[in-house]
Structure formats: C-alpha cells, structure tokens
C-alpha cells in the first residue's frame, strides 16, 4: 500500500476539507446585538473581553466598533477605564492605531489636559504628541574611513586575483 486512504472500491479518497477555525464574520445585525450585550455587562467583564481580543484576527467593522468602545471609555469619568484604554491603544501597532486617529482626534477638545496629553503621547505625532521611542538599540554607524592610496602589494594581489579568474573585463 502507498499509505494513502482508499475507499471500499480501492479508489483513493479525496482529502477532507479542514474546518475553518473561525466562523464567517458577523453580519451587521449580529454585530450590533453582540456589542449591545457587551455594553450591558459590568465594566470589568467588558475590559476583560477587550483585553483578550486578538486584533490581528478581527474584521474591519468589528475593529471599528471596538475602537468606538475604546473612545467612549476615555469620556467616562473612570480613571481605571481610561488607563485601560490608553494601555490597550499603546500595545497596538501604529498602523492600526493610525487608522482610527480621526475618531480620537474628535475627542481631544472634550478631554482634560492630562488625559489629552496622555492620549497624544500614545498616538504620537498623528495626534500632535511626541515621537515614540524606538525599541531598537540605537546604533550609530562609524564614520567611513577616508580612502587611502593602494600600495604596490595591494595592486599585486588584485592583479593575481584577476589573472586567476580570467582577467578583468
């Protein structure tokens, strides 16, 4: 036998389709219902759910709704929720945050000075904050050494090398 699965009549069976690990995206009504139920939950449950979201696997409409939820958390007078929102935004890659900068820019006038500065720091120059520091170590390239004239030995080595490889062309 060749190790391939066969049916009762001896013909090879086609491979079974593997189930998709994720279901289809929620339609608009299902998404609205999900977020209605999420908002009805206590704040710690909401934060626990949003804290576990894998942002790389969600579709665009869900991402928009979650960002709207995060933006709403900044307007609440709860410092813990505000800190959670800022921490969640800070963990996101810049392009994902940047897609929603206009949503958060609309909030800036409504925020107190401290929260506004913290939000701008998380977003960086996109919202008028300082440039974020890079995690990469700062390596400065050494200035190039000034060119020096080739010695007779260097020229002999080059002539020998090119002589072996068929000459300079």
């Amino acid at each position: 036998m060749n190790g391939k699965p066969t049916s009762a009549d001896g013909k090879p069976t086609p491979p079974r389709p593997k189930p998709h690990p994720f279901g289809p995206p929620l339609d608009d009504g299902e998404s609205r219902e999900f977020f209605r139920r999420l908002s009805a939950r206590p704040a710690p449950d909401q934060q626990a759910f949003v804290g576990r979201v894998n942002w790389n696997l969600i579709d665009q409409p869900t991402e928009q709704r979650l960002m709207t939820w995060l933006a709403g958390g900044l307007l609440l007078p709860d410092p813990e929720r505000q800190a959670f929102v800022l921490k969640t935004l800070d963990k996101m890659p810049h392009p994902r945050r940047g897609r929603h900068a206009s949503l958060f820019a609309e909030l800036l006038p409504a925020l107190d000075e401290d929260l506004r500065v913290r939000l701008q720091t998380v977003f960086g120059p996109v919202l008028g904050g300082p440039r974020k520091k890079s995690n990469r170590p700062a390596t400065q390239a050494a200035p190039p050494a000034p060119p020096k004239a080739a010695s007779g030995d260097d020229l002999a080595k080059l002539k020998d090398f090119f002589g072996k490889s068929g000459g300079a062309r």
Side-chain angles (χ1 to χ4, degrees), residues 120-139:
Q120 288 174 327
T121 302
V122 166
F123 270 87
V126 174
L127 286 185
R131 192 163 181 79
K132 294 190 86 159
K133 294 179 182 173
S134 174
N135 291 339
R136 289 182 274 168
T139 57

Side-chain angles (χ1 to χ4, degrees), residues 41-121:
R41 306 279 307 173
D45 290 352
Q46 293 178 34
Q47 288 180 8
F49 172 77
V50 173
R52 288 190 308 261
V53 167
N54 184 341
W55 292 87
N56 296 318
L57 300 177
I58 59 175
D59 58 349
Q60 190 63 31
T62 304
E63 179 179 316
Q64 182 64 39
R65 286 187 181 264
L66 285 169
M67 285 295 193
T68 303
W69 182 89
L70 288 171
L74 289 175
L75 297 174
L76 297 175
D78 181 7
E80 288 181 23
R81 172 76 71 96
Q82 293 169 350
F84 171 78
V85 168
L86 293 172
K87 183 178 95 174
T88 303
L89 288 170
D90 196 35
K91 288 192 298 186
M92 289 180 191
H94 178 72
R96 186 172 303 275
R97 266 194 317 262
R99 281 191 289 228
H100 304 282
S102 60
L103 171 67
F104 289 93
E106 293 172 6
L107 301 178
L108 289 176
L111 302 176
D112 66 2
E113 184 62 30
D114 178 51
L115 188 56
R116 182 180 316 119
V117 169
R118 289 172 34 206
L119 181 64
Q120 288 174 327
T121 302

